[in-house]
Amino acid sequence: ALIHFESNSWKEAKACWYDFIKRYPKSPNRLDAQIYLGLTLNELGEKKAAKDLLQQIKSDIEDPTDKETVEQILKEIQWSVQR
């Protein structure tokens, strides 16, 4: 992982991921940061922002585990919206 948070401070994590993406737009870890940002947004209840971000980057993801993670988050968002 790029950054590890000891607590469940999702607001802090959100700020860090946005900052990383802004500071290092050409980083080879940018896609990972965007995935983690999507997860964080989802945890914060920002479902639409999480969904929009993850759908935007989904086609760029090559790692099978990352693809599975993103698909799972998108399914969770869809399920939570339907309830």
Side-chain angles (χ1 to χ4, degrees):
L2 300 171
I3 301 171
H4 178 77
F5 293 94
E6 291 296 326
S7 66
N8 284 336
S9 178
W10 295 110
K11 288 183 181 182
E12 180 184 337
K14 175 183 168 183
C16 287
W17 292 127
Y18 273 122
D19 185 57
F20 179 91
I21 292 165
K22 182 180 176 182
R23 285 181 188 230
Y24 308 105
K26 297 183 190 289
S27 169
N29 295 317
R30 179 185 172 90
L31 191 58
D32 290 335
Q34 290 174 305
I35 293 168
Y36 289 124
L37 175 58
L39 174 77
T40 301
L41 292 169
N42 185 50
E43 290 294 329
L44 285 168
E46 298 179 29
K47 305 294 185 187
K48 182 174 179 350
K51 178 182 171 188
D52 291 348
L53 172 63
L54 294 174
Q55 285 181 331
Q56 178 184 343
I57 65 170
K58 188 168 68 169
S59 63
D60 296 334
I61 301 170
E62 296 178 3
D63 181 88
T65 303
D66 289 345
K67 278 185 185 263
E68 186 177 325
T69 298
V70 167
E71 287 296 331
Q72 184 61 39
I73 296 168
L74 288 170
K75 285 179 187 174
E76 288 174 16
I77 292 169
Q78 183 176 358
W79 182 82
S80 69
V81 169
Q82 292 176 348
R83 292 189 318 162

